[in-house]
Amino acid sequence: MQTFLVERTIPAAFRYEDPAVLALHARWATDAYKALGAFWHGGVITETGMCGLVSAEAEDDLGRYARSLNIGPDQIAVRRVVRAIGPYFAAPQGSVRPPGAAR
């Protein structure tokens, strides 16, 4: 499987401030990805859109996901993740300094 960053617009009727609406949206996404054999790792909502990480066999699977939920091609962008990064990769404190950093 490959992992993808999926960015999409916030649906006009999606009131993510409401826990019941958020729970329903999360159920739809979980079930729609599962129906394709994909796995939604979760995501975030910003002022301008939603982003999530999804593992799928192919990028085409995510196009089918979008169509299954009536998400138009102008409302979604998919990018393949080439490498994860995070604090779990960090060198021990003090062991490395960025180029040009004072000692």
Side-chain angles (χ1 to χ4, degrees), residues 66-82:
R67 287 188 298 278
S68 77
L69 293 177
N70 295 316
I71 300 168
D74 60 327
Q75 299 172 318
I76 191 167
V78 176
R79 292 174 181 78
R80 187 174 64 85
V81 173
V82 296

Side-chain angles (χ1 to χ4, degrees), residues 1-97:
M1 290 192 117
Q2 301 175 72
T3 301
F4 299 91
L5 175 67
V6 178
E7 299 175 87
R8 60 170 292 200
T9 58
I10 299 172
F14 181 32
R15 300 292 171 240
Y16 55 83
E17 304 88 355
D18 181 339
V21 172
L22 187 63
L24 183 58
H25 181 87
R27 172 51 51 201
W28 289 337
T30 299
D31 291 348
Y33 282 123
K34 186 177 180 181
L36 298 171
F39 181 78
W40 178 44
H41 298 275
V44 297
I45 300 170
T46 70
E47 295 87 6
T48 59
M50 301 188 297
C51 300
L53 285 177
V54 179
S55 292
E57 288 296 330
E59 187 172 340
D60 292 345
D61 294 338
L62 302 176
R64 288 193 334 236
Y65 161 81
R67 287 188 298 278
S68 77
L69 293 177
N70 295 316
I71 300 168
D74 60 327
Q75 299 172 318
I76 191 167
V78 176
R79 292 174 181 78
R80 187 174 64 85
V81 173
V82 296
R83 179 71 191 223
I85 187 170
Y88 38 85
F89 282 114
Q93 283 186 325
S95 65
V96 184
R97 299 207 186 282

